[in-house]
Amino acid sequence: MQRDLLDALRCPGTHEESWLVAMVSHAEGPELLEAELACPVCAAEYRITGGVALFADRQPVDDDEPYTSDMVLRLAAMLGVAESPLPVALVGRYAAASGVLASFVAAPQLLVNSGAPTNAPGVSHIVVADRLPLGVETLAAIAVDEDYASPALLESAARALRLGGRLVAPADVPIPAGMRELARDEVEWVAETTVRASGLIELRRRAPESVQ
């Protein structure tokens, strides 16, 4: 997992959005290989092992379906990102498009519930259950396949998208609130965020009033 992704991670627990505290035990340059993650709100613990951030048990995914350049070019057009400092997330079988997509989209990649991790530069891997452990406006775009397109995961994906960021999902699932449909066919729809979600609330100490 890329070290830069740490700032985007949040506890997936059902409480106010909270950063995670990381204790890194092994890193190689920008790549975190082994670390412990803890939530200061609910005390939940997660880990990074072998470069993969685990927020759930590993779930094997058959992502060996080959992606041609034309297929990935179509995906890139739906995601609507040419370059971005924020990651583009590929969930489930979409992760198989990662290598070819890098030639069309100059952005970090976040592969979610993918098959065997790759060590490509700028690529992070996480394993999740039914919610993305990401803060508000931490993704440029995301594609979610039919195996993981639950209402909870799609809602968390919409929250994680920047304003105007696009979500690609199966045609038979509802579009999350706060998103506007852009296109649809018999397989997929693509929508963009139109409402800015609320995120972390920072508490500021007020300066004491002067004594008269």
Side-chain angles (χ1 to χ4, degrees):
M1 192 191 84
Q2 298 297 303
R3 188 184 298 271
D4 288 349
L5 190 65
L6 270 181
D7 289 340
L9 293 180
R10 304 288 186 268
C11 178
T14 54
H15 53 69
E16 64 270 26
E17 191 174 295
S18 173
W19 278 296
L20 295 172
V21 178
M23 181 175 294
V24 179
S25 56
H26 185 198
E28 294 182 359
E31 182 80 9
L32 300 181
L33 298 177
E34 303 292 334
E36 300 294 326
L37 305 172
C39 174
V41 174
C42 68
E45 296 182 349
Y46 310 99
R47 69 186 189 279
I48 299 172
T49 182
V52 181
L54 301 175
F55 292 88
D57 294 334
R58 288 180 180 273
Q59 302 180 39
V61 172
D62 179 14
D63 59 2
D64 293 331
E65 178 184 350
Y67 273 78
T68 65
S69 293
D70 287 345
M71 293 167 64
V72 177
L73 185 59
R74 178 179 182 273
L75 176 61
M78 289 191 294
L79 293 170
V81 178
E83 58 181 318
S84 170
L86 296 178
V88 169
L90 304 173
V91 182
R93 292 180 176 85
Y94 282 110
S98 172
V100 183
L101 185 66
S103 63
F104 295 108
V105 177
Q109 291 186 11
L110 174 60
L111 307 188
V112 182
N113 294 355
S114 67
T118 64
N119 294 321
V123 177
S124 296
H125 295 262
I126 63 174
V127 173
V128 306
D130 61 349
R131 296 181 66 193
L132 293 176
L134 299 171
V136 169
E137 297 197 44
T138 53
L139 289 179
I142 181 169
V144 182
D145 79 352
E146 66 276 7
D147 289 334
Y148 298 104
S150 67
L153 193 137
L154 292 179
E155 180 184 354
S156 66
R159 281 181 52 81
L161 282 169
R162 66 186 179 187
L163 191 63
R166 293 184 182 182
L167 168 59
V168 178
D172 60 350
V173 300
I175 297 175
M179 303 202 75
R180 177 172 65 93
E181 182 177 315
L182 298 177
R184 176 188 294 267
D185 61 17
E186 67 279 4
V187 178
E188 300 157 314
W189 52 250
V190 55
E192 67 176 4
T193 52
T194 59
V195 177
R196 193 181 299 275
S198 60
L200 291 164
I201 298 176
E202 295 185 9
L203 300 179
R204 299 180 182 274
R205 187 185 299 275
R206 187 175 66 179
E209 297 179 2
S210 59
V211 178
Q212 299 295 328

